Amino acid sequence: RKEVEQDPGPFNVPEGATVAFNCTYSNSASQSFFWYRQDCRKEPKLLMSVYSSGNEDGRFTAQLNRASQYISLLIRDSKLSDSATYLCVVRGNSGNTPLVFGKGTRLSVIA
Amino acid sequence: ETGVTQSPTHLIKTRGQQVTLRCSSQSGHNTVSWYQQALGQGPQFIFQYYREEENGRGNFPPRFSGLQFPNYSSELNVNALELDDSALYLCASSLDWGNYGYTFGSGTRLTVV
């Protein structure tokens, strides 16, 4: 079983739609959780950290359920510029634990 | 404040050859991590260097090796290249093992033919 699992998509949605991505992780010792965005042939960039209480940044809302080891990202009012691959990322709690990436979910927002 | 710079941006090598990829870390960062991203996959952790010592390694064979220099820049060396080594190689710099976030370079795209 992969350590971080995501639906690879692609998700093709019209502008203005709401889209949700889900992710599960297998290591219960994971302590930090993130969503990264990666544009085609570019480096990943941090979109937002994910906290147990849930957090929102403009049109983006992230949720974490530690009991189910489940992370979600909701994008409201999708824009063409949201088209990218969204990577679910987890990290353990000791100093030398790396970021562990999911395979990514590809989103295409269509006009 | 400078970001993370990787060189070269693209590289084509023949199977069996050796390659060295370079990464200059962000000013003030003392940790460098290397990741391999094959097409259609998420980045996979290769290893991490903190203050010139390797302090974490992923599931990669010994022909993947690295160095970190006193200025915290880093090299990734791959010997005996195989076709499956074709990937985007990403370097991420951070302060104190990433406890304050990571900055990724734009990567080196390696093609092995």
Side-chain angles (χ1 to χ4, degrees):
Chain A
R1 183 184 170 190
K2 293 254 181 211
E3 207 167 332
V4 178
E5 301 222 44
Q6 294 181 249
D7 180 345
F11 284 58
N12 299 313
V13 303
E15 270 187 293
T18 296
V19 61
F21 303 138
N22 303 317
C23 163
T24 57
Y25 61 95
S26 61
N27 186 351
S28 59
S30 299
Q31 289 293 320
S32 304
F33 308 89
F34 311 94
W35 284 100
Y36 274 71
R37 171 194 168 127
Q38 187 171 29
D39 293 295
C40 189
R41 303 179 81 82
K42 302 276 192 181
E43 74 274 23
K45 292 189 177 173
L46 179 65
L47 178 66
M48 57 198 303
S49 301
V50 188
Y51 304 112
S52 295
S53 53
N55 49 298
E56 190 173 305
D57 182 2
R59 298 181 293 108
F60 299 84
T61 301
Q63 297 276 351
L64 167 65
N65 183 321
R66 283 185 185 270
S68 304
Q69 295 181 201
Y70 170 93
I71 306 163
S72 66
L73 176 68
L74 185 77
I75 306 176
R76 288 181 301 279
D77 188 23
S78 299
K79 311 289 184 195
L80 294 176
S81 57
D82 294 334
S83 298
T85 296
Y86 290 83
L87 297 157
C88 177
V89 187
V90 305
R91 184 170 179 252
N93 63 347
S94 64
N96 63 353
T97 56
L99 298 176
V100 180
F101 288 81
K103 228 173 147 173
T105 298
R106 190 167 160 200
L107 172 66
S108 289
V109 181
I110 304 158
Chain B
E1 178 179 291
T2 60
V4 177
T5 304
Q6 290 189 243
S7 63
T9 54
H10 296 83
L11 198 54
I12 300 175
K13 287 287 194 178
T14 303
R15 192 169 48 180
Q17 284 188 311
Q18 178 267 342
V19 70
T20 297
L21 310 182
R22 295 181 174 83
C23 171
S24 65
S25 57
Q26 183 168 309
S27 176
H29 285 182
N30 53 21
T31 306
V32 172
S33 311
W34 286 92
Y35 290 80
Q36 179 197 66
Q37 187 175 23
L39 199 61
Q41 303 294 318
Q44 298 293 309
F45 175 66
I46 303 174
F47 43 56
Q48 175 173 286
Y49 280 83
Y50 170 69
R51 294 184 182 272
E52 303 179 62
E53 303 250 342
E54 183 182 300
N55 78 331
R57 190 178 181 94
N59 189 25
F60 279 80
R63 58 190 186 83
F64 286 77
S65 63
L67 281 175
Q68 187 179 32
F69 299 100
N71 66 355
Y72 302 131
S73 66
S74 177
E75 284 183 356
L76 163 65
N77 299 291
V78 188
N79 292 323
L81 283 166
E82 301 176 1
L83 297 179
D84 283 350
D85 296 333
S86 295
L88 178 67
Y89 288 85
L90 294 159
C91 162
S93 82
S94 58
L95 177 61
D96 295 346
W97 316 296
N99 288 335
Y100 304 97
Y102 294 79
T103 303
F104 279 85
S106 54
T108 293
R109 188 162 297 280
L110 172 66
T111 303
V112 182
V113 297

